[in-house]
Amino acid sequence: MHSPNYMSLYQWIDGKKLSGDGRATSQVLNPFDGTVLAEMPHATAADLAEALKSSERAFKLWRLVPAWERSAIILKATDLIRERLERFALMLTLEVGKPLAEARMEMGLTIESMQWAGEEAKRIYGRTVASRLPHGRAIISREPIGPVAAFAPWNVPALLTGRKIAAALAAGCSMIIKPSEETPATCLLIAEAFADAGLPAGVLNVVLGDPAEISHTLISSPIIKKVSFTGPTPVGKQLAALAAQQVTPVTMELGGHAPVIVCDDAHIDTVVAFSVPNKYFNAGASCIAPTRFYVQDAVYDEFVAKFSAAAGDIKVGSGLDPETRMGPLANARRLSAMERLIADALAHGGKLTAGGKRIGNQGFLFEPTVLVDVPETAQIMNDEPFGPVAIISRFSQVEDAIEKANRLPFGLAAYAFTTSTARAALLSDTLESGMVGINTYYFGMPEAPFGGVKQSGYGSENGTEGIDAYLVTKFTNQA
Ligand code: NAD
């Protein structure tokens, strides 16, 4: 059973759709109104065993497929996704709640990322070094690492599954991927596009169900040679520890708590015009969402007034309504987290200058919120809100703002706005972050690596680094 606009859900294992047959199920909800979109079948132990065997078999074949052919299949699947974009966008809006325009934007990023990986399949290079022997050969080659287990979250489910799949397949790996139990549809549609593009059965398997059971089974298996995880830092720590038991390398893209330093030489209208849509994009549920705004004394009052007014003007509602600029939070956990974090900030002396509460009592709509005067002891200054809350604080000296920005154990994205080239260089050099945006929030280029430092994770997706993550190095010395 599924709602008319949504899709029926299944495990995609070895080229077969598996559902029913007594499998346990859980409900996928529409976060706008809380209605049930579909029943999602859970992978059984036998399903996971079959997915592992199939992935192992398929890897042996796929790694021998010439790079140009791998590339052609990935690019063909990408073309099919482009043709089917409206269907994908509708699924995203239904299961995540995001406005259709944002869903289309996510699909644009997914397509670009997959296209980049498909093209990069042809550019995996080794090298030779001078042999120590006459007529000898010393060859350094790059080989696919093996079957991959991948885990993706619910916030940008098409992009975060699509770019993992395309990069692994480009490198010659097979993959078993588990999308979030809350957002399985677009991952299945991506798998369908790959099947239609001629990807051999088993190269890509999609399993759904209980995250802990699936991750434990897959990561503990000696078949799996690489783990890629995007999601919460506490879960990333558990999975990294599990992978360490097999000495399996992992790519971890975890939480953030992005600082934004707004200097007094910046053009405040422009900064506000950039910042507000980026803060409330995807209802704030983005690991690179700007969260802690540090604004210099001279422009602080102006920034707070203009930012709060713009946040208050955002139209919140159904993602299917073209007037909507922000959809609901994606799940009930985010709703209770917002209520808890805001109450705690207020109890610590913080003040609201916009929003602060739930809208209505159906689904998970929440007001775009701005907090000021929040001390560092408040929970929200330390835990990633992952929701539509901006916290604005003031600073006098840029060096102090940098210290505050670097205070947390996270380091995924950091931003700064200044027209001074000297300040831009200082900020770029000293912000402890995998990605630094100076006068921009844009990191959506698949040709550049995306990843964090500190407890935001390690390894990168996108860029040549994103393909490298699925390769191992071999040195052959031929006498
Ligand atoms: P949560 O703790 O409820 O975790 C749910 C997510 O983690 C789901 O995607 C689930 O499938 C996965 N998960 C949980 N246990 C797992 C396990 N044992 N094995 C594999 N996967 C497992 O968190 P939440 O409420 O969904 O999200 C809140 C926090 O998650 C945010 O504060 C944010 O830091 C983080 N997050 C980060 C990203 C990102 O893009 N880096 C995306 C989503 C969530």
Side-chain angles (χ1 to χ4, degrees):
M1 280 288 291
H2 61 93
S3 93
N5 289 332
Y6 199 64
M7 61 183 284
S8 66
L9 301 172
Y10 48 83
Q11 317 287 320
W12 176 248
I13 298 173
D14 207 38
K16 294 183 224 38
K17 293 180 180 180
L18 304 176
S19 63
D21 291 336
R23 286 177 179 82
T25 62
S26 56
Q27 295 180 332
V28 177
L29 300 182
N30 180 335
F32 173 64
D33 56 13
T35 54
V36 177
L37 290 171
E39 292 288 335
M40 186 188 78
H42 287 211
T44 61
D47 289 338
L48 297 177
E50 176 51 21
L52 283 162
K53 269 192 278 168
S54 147
S55 201
E56 187 178 38
R57 275 195 306 268
F59 172 63
K60 289 182 181 151
L61 300 174
W62 183 244
R63 64 172 304 170
L64 301 178
V65 172
W68 279 71
E69 281 177 42
R70 293 203 305 271
S71 171
I73 290 176
I74 297 166
L75 295 177
K76 172 81 179 149
T78 306
D79 284 343
L80 292 173
I81 293 170
R82 196 179 280 113
E83 281 169 23
R84 301 169 186 176
L85 189 142
E86 285 303 314
R87 173 128 180 89
F88 276 87
L90 178 62
M91 293 303 119
L92 285 174
T93 293
L94 289 174
E95 63 184 14
V96 192
K98 60 185 74 189
L100 266 176
E102 283 187 13
R104 291 185 186 112
M105 199 187 300
E106 179 178 340
M107 289 318 301
L109 293 170
T110 308
I111 288 164
E112 280 197 359
S113 194
M114 292 179 63
Q115 183 175 333
W116 163 263
E119 289 160 354
E120 281 299 288
K122 300 175 199 163
R123 289 186 275 275
I124 295 169
Y125 304 120
R127 67 187 197 277
T128 58
V129 295
S131 172
R132 297 286 183 108
L133 298 167
H135 308 298
R137 296 283 182 275
I139 302 161
I140 293 143
S141 50
R142 305 285 285 147
E143 298 185 346
I145 191 167
V148 179
F151 305 88
W154 45 263
N155 57 335
V156 257
L159 176 63
L160 297 180
T161 52
R163 76 181 179 195
K164 287 186 198 301
I165 294 168
L169 269 48
C173 295
S174 57
M175 175 173 271
I176 306 174
I177 188 161
K178 186 197 78 63
S180 166
E181 55 280 17
E182 290 157 333
T183 55
T186 44
C187 185
L188 288 170
L189 291 180
I190 289 172
E192 193 176 288
F194 271 105
D196 294 346
L199 187 73
V203 178
L204 174 62
N205 293 323
V206 181
V207 294
L208 310 174
D210 179 62
E213 191 184 328
I214 295 175
S215 61
H216 189 272
T217 305
L218 297 186
I219 298 173
S220 307
S221 165
I223 291 172
I224 293 300
K225 299 297 190 293
K226 165 84 193 184
V227 174
S228 177
F229 175 77
T230 303
T233 297
V235 178
K237 288 180 183 178
Q238 284 172 33
L239 301 194
L242 194 58
Q245 302 302 308
Q246 310 280 341
V247 199
T248 304
V250 296
T251 295
M252 286 281 160
E253 206 264 275
L254 308 174
H257 203 304
V260 186
I261 296 178
V262 182
C263 298
D264 54 11
D265 55 54
H267 186 261
I268 295 306
D269 286 334
T270 309
V271 182
V272 170
F274 279 1
S275 300
V276 171
N278 275 285
K279 171 67 244 181
Y280 300 103
F281 179 81
N282 211 31
S286 161
C287 50
I288 57 168
T291 293
R292 289 173 293 144
F293 290 83
Y294 295 106
V295 184
Q296 204 156 12
D297 282 328
V299 291
Y300 176 83
D301 290 336
E302 180 189 357
F303 184 84
V304 170
K306 289 180 172 170
F307 190 105
S308 307
D313 282 346
I314 293 173
K315 184 171 179 325
V316 183
S318 162
L320 297 175
D321 177 348
E323 299 293 309
T324 293
R325 291 291 165 270
M326 190 180 99
L329 310 181
N331 53 49
R333 293 191 305 286
R334 285 297 90 207
L335 189 62
S336 49
M338 291 312 101
E339 288 175 338
R340 179 173 44 78
L341 289 170
I342 291 168
D344 176 77
L346 298 179
H348 278 81
K351 295 182 192 67
L352 286 164
T353 57
K357 53 183 193 312
R358 183 180 185 181
I359 303 172
N361 56 9
Q362 266 192 325
F364 313 122
L365 293 170
F366 203 86
E367 292 173 336
T369 297
V370 182
L371 282 164
V372 296
D373 297 340
V374 183
E376 284 179 349
T377 47
Q379 230 183 330
I380 200 163
M381 291 300 274
N382 300 282
D383 296 348
E384 183 181 26
F386 220 63
V389 187
I391 315 136
I392 310 179
S393 310
R394 74 166 71 230
F395 72 89
S396 300
Q397 301 298 323
V398 174
E399 289 73 12
D400 294 340
I402 293 169
E403 206 173 303
K404 286 174 198 289
N406 289 340
R407 185 180 65 87
L408 295 184
F410 302 108
L412 188 59
Y415 307 95
F417 289 86
T418 178
T419 49
S420 151
T421 48
R423 279 178 168 176
L426 175 74
L427 288 154
S428 159
D429 286 350
T430 52
L431 284 169
E432 295 169 1
S433 184
M435 293 172 283
V436 176
I438 306 281
N439 298 325
T440 181
Y441 287 107
Y442 183 62
F443 296 129
M445 305 146 69
E447 60 272 39
F450 186 106
V453 297
K454 304 203 280 189
Q455 292 193 25
S456 290
Y458 38 79
S460 301
E461 298 198 279
N462 284 344
T464 51
E465 292 85 348
I467 309 286
D468 224 46
Y470 297 105
L471 297 169
V472 283
T473 301
K474 179 180 279 176
F475 169 40
T476 303
N477 199 11
Q478 185 183 317

